[in-house]
Amino acid sequence: MSKAAPKVGTVYLVGAGPGDPDLLTLRAARLLMNAKVVVHDGLVDPAILAMAPRTARMISVAKSRSRHTMKQQDINALLVREALEGNDVIRLKGGDPFVFGRGGEEAEDCLAAGVTVQVVPGISAAMGAAASAMIPLTHRDSASIVSFVAGQCKGLTDQNWAGLAGKGRTLVIYMGVATAEAIAEKLMADGLAPDMPVAVVENAARPEMRVLRGSLAGLGPLVAENKVRSPALIVIGEVTGRGDMMELKQVLEMAR
Ligand code: SAH
């Protein structure tokens, strides 16, 4: 009698959103609450990880600032191995899995190995930061184009950013803390006005969130003097300077 072919698990690439557990999708929460194996990176809030059953196997593949870094290829191999052993795997990633999350690479390797992949979208940091800092990414009067770019060195030197920022446009920069000064210089060299408003949103959608506002020419010092740390987003465009909606909101809330 031949044995039945072993069951192959499914890999769920799940977006965990920017931090606040309330910003998970219902689907992400349901998958997490029934998880047997969770593979997560460093950006996922502990309160979200705590939603998994106690019996779940939690595997951290934290990358940022961790000494025990795991290479992307090894993460991909881990997901494939677990699935081929018959386990459904919840691969939990900060924000959205397909926005600077390397979810594309993980999905490709899984599919190439015959492993089914499902993607559960999450609220990307740009949306989380926009909501918490009261920065409308588009606005009928201020911006009808919004771009997401990666600000780390590779993105910065390889990419042509001409046309991404300026009048009527909002530029959201992920992973740009270390290169903020260089980013401002690059954009000003491209012709952007030094007084273009900018905002830096650190720890968006988390209790320790900070929102700093300034101008493009002052972006480098703004980040350095306030000791901004990752995770933080830089938003460049007129939408960040619209009458400081956050202050208006706070005044209104205090008056109530
Ligand atoms: N997949 C994620 C992005 C991963 S890249 C997403 O869709 O949001 C990591 C970068 O995302 C960080 O360097 C930072 O720029 C940004 N980021 C993630 N979470 C953030 C948060 N809570 N506040 C501000 N920026 C955040």
Side-chain angles (χ1 to χ4, degrees):
M1 234 178 28
S2 67
K3 273 210 257 167
K7 171 188 166 284
V8 174
T10 296
V11 170
Y12 296 85
L13 297 178
V14 179
D20 183 348
D22 271 7
L23 293 179
L24 278 178
T25 61
L26 289 175
R27 190 152 170 229
R30 184 169 47 77
L31 284 167
L32 200 51
M33 288 189 290
N34 292 299
K36 294 203 172 66
V37 181
V38 178
V39 178
H40 63 91
D41 56 33
L43 277 179
V44 179
D45 193 286
I48 291 175
L49 298 179
M51 290 170 67
R54 282 215 197 139
T55 48
R57 202 148 40 88
M58 307 297 283
I59 305 172
S60 168
V61 292
K63 282 194 229 163
S64 58
R65 285 183 286 154
S66 162
R67 281 210 212 139
H68 304 281
T69 55
M70 196 159 169
K71 287 203 201 96
Q72 186 62 47
Q73 266 178 331
D74 297 338
I75 297 173
N76 300 3
L78 168 72
L79 299 176
V80 168
R81 194 170 61 242
E82 287 286 347
L84 292 182
E85 282 171 8
N87 300 315
D88 286 338
V89 183
I90 307 302
R91 171 68 175 114
L92 200 57
K93 304 165 87 61
D96 181 89
F98 277 179
V99 178
F100 303 128
R102 305 193 73 170
E105 294 160 61
E106 293 176 11
E108 279 161 9
D109 276 18
C110 288
L111 293 169
V115 173
T116 306
V117 174
Q118 285 196 29
V119 182
V120 180
I123 294 183
S124 193
M127 283 74 182
S132 324
M134 289 296 279
I135 299 168
L137 294 178
T138 65
H139 190 293
R140 236 179 112 82
D141 302 331
S142 303
S144 58
I145 296 176
V146 53
S147 311
F148 298 166
V149 303
Q152 86 278 47
C153 298
K154 189 161 183 286
L156 194 60
T157 46
D158 291 359
Q159 308 298 328
N160 177 4
W161 288 12
L164 295 184
K167 200 160 175 49
R169 283 156 285 171
T170 303
L171 181 60
V172 183
I173 300 158
Y174 288 65
M175 298 171 281
V177 171
T179 47
E181 177 98 54
I183 287 168
E185 274 164 21
K186 177 180 169 104
L187 290 171
M188 287 188 291
D190 280 352
L192 229 65
D195 63 354
M196 172 62 78
V198 304
V200 179
V201 188
E202 182 188 64
N203 282 312
R206 297 176 183 178
E208 63 275 31
M209 175 176 85
R210 284 197 298 169
V211 183
L212 308 166
R213 287 166 201 272
S215 65
L216 186 59
L219 178 62
L222 187 72
V223 165
E225 283 160 22
N226 290 287
K227 298 191 167 49
V228 174
R229 297 272 171 273
S230 180
L233 281 183
I234 299 170
V235 187
I236 298 176
E238 283 171 6
V239 290
T240 67
R242 289 193 59 90
D244 206 340
M245 286 211 283
M246 192 138 103
E247 260 172 38
L248 293 174
K249 183 172 176 255
Q250 278 161 1
V251 168
L252 202 61
E253 277 163 8
M254 275 163 66
R256 289 251 157 84

